[in-house]
């Protein structure tokens, strides 16, 4: 499995992804699931992927090759005029990759993947999309300001309760660390290290980018502290009486 | 879907189940998923079910009919000498019901169900089991002192963090209300009212039993208070710095 979250904030967009991939429980590896394309001053586009690793790597490679030699490989992520067109291109690429694999007679489910795409292109607002295996997609809004893909359920309650669009990037990163920690504690298919990227509106540059490993002191504090904080929160609730 | 939890405590066993059943999102109903058989002074057995409603109702009815006319319908829940034998009987009944339905050529998955069985029979300790669709089962232990069935993921992190075997029944009920509330807030397939039953070790009688409806003032306080308590817990964590 995998766990990735894209979070729209007043300040911009925050992305976080884990790095565990598994085929069964006895074949696990570390793979990066977040890729960012940056043209300073003009566009920043980040993609996170969940699902069949062969599919998602083929999608990223296809998109990346087009970007590197744009003169003969249109359309390219680096030339699309809007984020909507970027999402459409990523969706079409995903659908084409899955189609090419299912031509051998396998079912599409086995090759499925979901993608979060977000960023900003000069001339329009930052936008955040979730793309389905079918190639169609939905956009984040004020009502639904974040998208999760992969193993989404364990980490959802804290996002639903504590998300606030006015959060700073650092507070939002803390929130995502709690959400990821809850997921990691409850199942084997999501694990450290975690990759993050913060994009600040109208900066057209990466604000913060990094990897949180198992030795990260902030993560340790948050992970250890969250158990105590939850128990204190629980104790603070009014008692139940039969 | 459904959400049921059976929790082993030092004091006994606590059971809680929701009451929503759905076939798609446009066909929802309220069904009780918890049944208790009580022979005061001798045995208390509680069963909770998740999965195909036709399957689980057939299992309960079969078990119940045998109990009502034990002279010609052996074996019966009310006559088995140990909780292990009770779990075996429930598992066999579940497997037989699924088998009778799949004889028409349908796959077993469509008729699948999972069951939690717990209680105590005079002469041995209280025991708690989880039974799979195949009829086999596992038992709760000090390492894994609770079982969840149905839509288990949203409500798991708080159980993992805040469960303590020394809890009172009232505190444990509060814990389960938080776990159920997190689940209800995050998806449509689990909902109030909630049924609960507390069994106290060596009492051989139902200690507490009831239904928590949407008007229950305790549940409202806990549900409303939990959002604030979580945000306070989150704020109490050390700040993350890039």
């Amino acid at each position: 499995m995998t766990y990735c979250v894209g979070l729209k904030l007043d300040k911009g967009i925050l992305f976080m992804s884990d790095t565990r991939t598994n085929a069964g429980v006895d074949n696990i590896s570390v793979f990066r699931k977040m890729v960012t394309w940056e043209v300073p001053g003009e566009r920043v586009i980040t993609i996170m992927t969940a699902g069949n690793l062969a599919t998602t790597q083929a999608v990223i490679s296809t998109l990346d090759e087009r970007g590197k030699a744009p003169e003969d490989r249109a359309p390219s992520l680096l030339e699309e005029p809007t984020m909507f067109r970027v999402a459409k291109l990523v969706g079409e690429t995903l659908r084409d990759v899955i189609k090419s694999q299912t031509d051998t007679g396998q079912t599409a489910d086995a090759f499925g993947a979901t993608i979060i795409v977000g960023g900003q292109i000069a001339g329009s607002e930052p936008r955040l999309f979730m793309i389905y295996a079918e190639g169609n997609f939905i956009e984040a809004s004020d009502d639904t300001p974040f998208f999760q893909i992969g193993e989404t359920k364990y980490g959802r309650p804290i996002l639903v309760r504590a998300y606030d669009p006015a959060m700073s990037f650092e507070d939002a990163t803390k929130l995502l660390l709690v959400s990821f920690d809850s997921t990691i504690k409850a199942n084997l298919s999501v694990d450290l290290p975690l990759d993050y990227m913060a994009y600040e509106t109208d900066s057209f540059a990466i604000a913060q980018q990094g990897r949180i490993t198992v030795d990260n002191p902030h993560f340790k504090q948050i992970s250890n502290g969250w158990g105590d904080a939850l128990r204190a929160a629980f104790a603070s609730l009014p008692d139940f009486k039969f």
Side-chain angles (χ1 to χ4, degrees), chain A residues 45-185:
Chain A
I45 298 168
T46 294
I47 294 185
M48 296 184 295
T49 58
N52 182 296
L53 186 64
T55 297
T56 58
Q57 287 196 342
V59 170
I60 298 298
S61 296
T62 306
L63 292 169
D64 202 43
E65 282 200 349
R66 284 178 181 155
K68 280 179 183 154
E71 62 281 357
D72 51 14
R73 292 174 197 253
S76 152
L77 278 187
L78 303 183
E79 301 205 332
E80 292 290 359
T82 65
M83 282 303 298
F84 174 77
R85 294 279 291 273
V86 166
K88 209 156 163 260
L89 173 60
V90 175
E92 283 163 4
T93 307
L94 174 60
R95 196 180 52 202
D96 290 349
V97 166
I98 294 176
K99 189 164 178 299
S100 72
Q101 291 171 328
T102 53
D103 282 350
T104 59
Q106 303 273 353
T107 63
D109 286 352
F111 299 111
T114 330
I115 295 180
I116 291 175
V117 183
Q120 187 177 17
I121 294 174
S124 56
E125 294 296 298
R127 296 174 76 173
L128 180 66
F129 299 92
M130 181 162 79
I131 298 175
Y132 299 103
E134 291 75 12
N136 55 359
F137 50 87
I138 57 175
E139 182 172 3
S141 64
D142 291 346
D143 295 325
T144 302
F146 60 85
F147 288 130
Q148 304 167 283
I149 55 177
E151 184 60 73
T152 62
K153 295 185 178 184
Y154 301 110
R156 189 172 177 81
I158 182 65
L159 291 184
V160 171
R161 299 279 198 168
Y163 164 82
D164 176 353
M167 279 177 151
S168 69
F169 280 127
E170 291 182 336
D171 276 356
T173 303
K174 188 170 99 171
L175 174 62
L176 290 187
L177 289 180
V178 171
S179 175
F180 274 74
D181 182 54
S182 297
T183 309
I184 290 169
K185 282 269 189 307

Side-chain angles (χ1 to χ4, degrees), chain A residues 2-46:
Chain A
T2 285
Y3 182 37
C4 306
V5 183
L7 204 64
K8 253 190 121 172
L9 301 165
D10 293 345
K11 290 200 164 34
I13 309 178
L14 180 64
F15 303 87
M16 190 175 283
S17 60
D18 85 318
T19 50
R20 171 157 287 185
T21 68
N22 67 303
V25 292
D26 55 351
N27 183 2
I28 60 173
S29 316
V30 174
F31 279 97
R32 191 175 173 84
K33 297 163 194 172
M34 183 193 295
V35 189
T36 299
W37 289 265
E38 182 186 22
V39 181
E42 199 264 329
R43 70 180 62 202
V44 171
I45 298 168
T46 294

